[in-house]
């Protein structure tokens, strides 16, 4: 049966929960969707290697849109299909702006080595969340020592804003770097710091998911998206139907209907998607 629908699901805080993993009901729901030839996309801010640390090739999805759309993987074959890296020129400009804003940041290597990064501290103030991320990925981190790393470009810049302000300096970054995709997310580590990320203009969860949808001729109106944080905003706005977890930031809950963040929110969203259009799911 030809695929005529698609579901795109965020990972951390939507499908996957630290210490709990993915609920068996959610896995069963994803398998059921696959049985009905509905295309399943996991759209996450994590890099490819980070995702592979917690789920294997047998996990019931068809595509991985990783690093907020900077890369796309055929999940079953573990084949990289698309990558969008920052050019050397874009990287130099972005680094300059991050430094001007005194943002402690990490500069990730081009895809597919985007789990590796150099780091640069720019703020004199304590930044526990930044230090925690650095310690967590210390095996892949190296201090910034030379300027020649710019020549290779990067997959992304990730800065950590410890005061948790959801708007500043996010808006300042967007204004200073209009040619790039600027993404913000609540830190999955301390749950309050704001991560500010700069990507190629071609990288976003919505653009990555749309690329998959177009392979099957699936319009946005036939897409369900489920997310829980600021970095899901563009995907939720693009999809024909969207739900957020009930613990999502208020701006998302005001814009989209919510489902319970009890570990089975995706299953609830799928059921409500079906109720909205009884013939929608196969």
């Amino acid at each position: 049966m030809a695929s005529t629908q698609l579901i795109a699901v965020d990972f951390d805080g939507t499908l996957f929960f630290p210490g709990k993993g993915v609920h068996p009901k959610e896995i069963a729901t994803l398998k059921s969707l696959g049985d009905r030839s509905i295309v399943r996309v996991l759209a996450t801010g994590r890099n490819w290697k980070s995702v592979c640390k917690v789920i294997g090739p047998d996990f019931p999805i068809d595509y991985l849109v990783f690093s907020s759309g900077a890369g796309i993987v055929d999940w079953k074959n573990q084949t990289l299909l698309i990558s969008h890296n920052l050019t050397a020129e874009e990287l130099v400009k972005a680094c300059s702006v991050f430094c001007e804003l005194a943002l402690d940041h990490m500069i990730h290597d081009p895809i597919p080595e985007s789990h590796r990064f150099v780091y640069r501290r720019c703020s004199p103030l304590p930044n526990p969340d930044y230090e925690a991320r650095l310690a967590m990925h210390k095996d892949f981190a190296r201090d910034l020592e030379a300027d020649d790393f710019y020549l290779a470009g990067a997959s992304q810049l990730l800065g950590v804003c410890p005061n948790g302000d959801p708007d500043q300096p996010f808006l300042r970054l967007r204004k200073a770097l209009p040619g790039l995709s600027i993404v913000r997310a609540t830190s999955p580590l301390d749950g309050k710091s704001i991560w500010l990320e700069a990507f190629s203009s071609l990288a976003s969860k919505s653009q990555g998911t749309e690329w998959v949808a177009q392979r099957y001729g699936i319009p946005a109106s036939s897409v369900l998206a489920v997310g829980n944080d600021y970095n899901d905003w563009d995907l939720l706005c693009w999809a024909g139907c969207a739900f957020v977890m009930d613990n999502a930031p208020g701006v998302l809950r005001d814009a989209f209907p919510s489902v319970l963040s009890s570990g089975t929110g995706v299953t609830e969203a799928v059921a409500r998607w079906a109720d909205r259009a009884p013939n929608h799911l196969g």
Side-chain angles (χ1 to χ4, degrees):
M1 182 170 60
S3 298
T4 57
Q5 292 95 30
L6 183 150
I7 178 172
V9 181
D10 171 55
F11 194 53
D12 291 283
T14 300
L15 189 64
F16 175 84
F17 296 86
K20 298 179 180 179
V22 181
H23 196 286
K25 285 187 177 180
E26 303 282 70
I27 294 175
T29 293
L30 290 173
K31 288 181 178 177
S32 176
L33 292 171
D35 291 341
R36 285 176 276 177
S37 297
I38 295 172
V39 180
R40 302 155 299 178
V41 174
L42 187 63
T44 178
R46 288 191 184 220
N47 62 62
W48 185 3
K49 187 177 182 69
S50 178
V51 174
C52 290
K53 288 174 64 176
V54 289
I55 61 173
D58 60 341
F59 192 77
I61 57 173
D62 302 299
Y63 296 89
L64 171 68
V65 172
F66 67 92
S67 295
S68 295
I72 303 174
V73 167
D74 179 321
W75 187 249
K76 292 296 184 294
N77 298 320
Q78 289 293 295
T79 302
L80 180 64
L81 302 175
I82 291 289
S83 63
H84 300 296
N85 292 304
L86 294 164
T87 65
E89 182 179 0
E90 289 172 332
L91 178 56
V92 170
K93 173 63 175 177
C95 285
S96 174
V97 172
F98 272 63
C99 289
E100 288 173 7
L101 295 177
L103 279 173
D104 298 323
H105 58 280
M106 300 168 184
I107 306 160
H108 286 254
D109 289 2
I111 295 169
E113 296 297 313
S114 53
H115 56 288
R116 303 184 185 279
F117 60 91
V118 296
Y119 60 94
R120 174 189 277 159
R121 296 180 179 89
C122 296
S123 172
L125 302 176
N127 196 339
D129 192 71
Y130 179 85
E131 299 301 334
R133 188 176 192 270
L134 185 58
M136 179 180 295
H137 302 292
K138 61 183 180 182
D139 291 343
F140 305 109
R142 58 194 189 278
D143 196 358
L144 182 59
E145 297 178 347
D147 291 335
D148 59 357
F149 81 94
Y150 286 110
L151 299 177
S155 57
Q156 70 176 102
L157 271 73
L158 187 153
V160 179
C161 187
N163 64 16
D165 187 327
D167 293 323
Q168 297 291 349
F170 171 67
L171 297 178
R172 293 172 66 187
L173 275 178
R174 288 185 63 182
K175 183 177 181 179
L177 299 169
L180 300 184
S181 175
I182 306 299
V183 176
R184 60 176 166 173
T186 305
S187 168
L189 302 183
D190 69 8
K192 58 183 181 181
S193 297
I194 296 296
W195 288 7
L196 298 157
E197 301 168 87
F199 297 91
S200 159
S201 63
L202 299 174
S204 67
K205 288 189 177 185
S206 59
Q207 289 180 98
T209 303
E210 184 176 26
W211 185 90
V212 174
Q214 289 179 346
R215 296 190 97 190
Y216 297 88
I218 299 172
S221 59
S222 296
V223 174
L224 167 66
V226 190
N228 80 314
D229 202 11
Y230 300 108
N231 62 345
D232 299 312
W233 179 264
D234 66 289
L235 175 63
L236 297 166
C237 290
W238 170 78
C241 182
F243 293 92
V244 297
M245 299 293 111
D246 61 2
N247 62 355
V251 65
L252 271 75
R253 287 184 281 108
D254 290 342
F256 305 99
S258 62
V259 292
L260 294 176
S261 55
S262 58
T264 59
V266 173
T267 298
E268 180 186 346
V270 169
R272 290 172 62 179
W273 187 35
D275 288 341
R276 287 187 174 196
N279 297 319
H280 199 80
L281 297 181

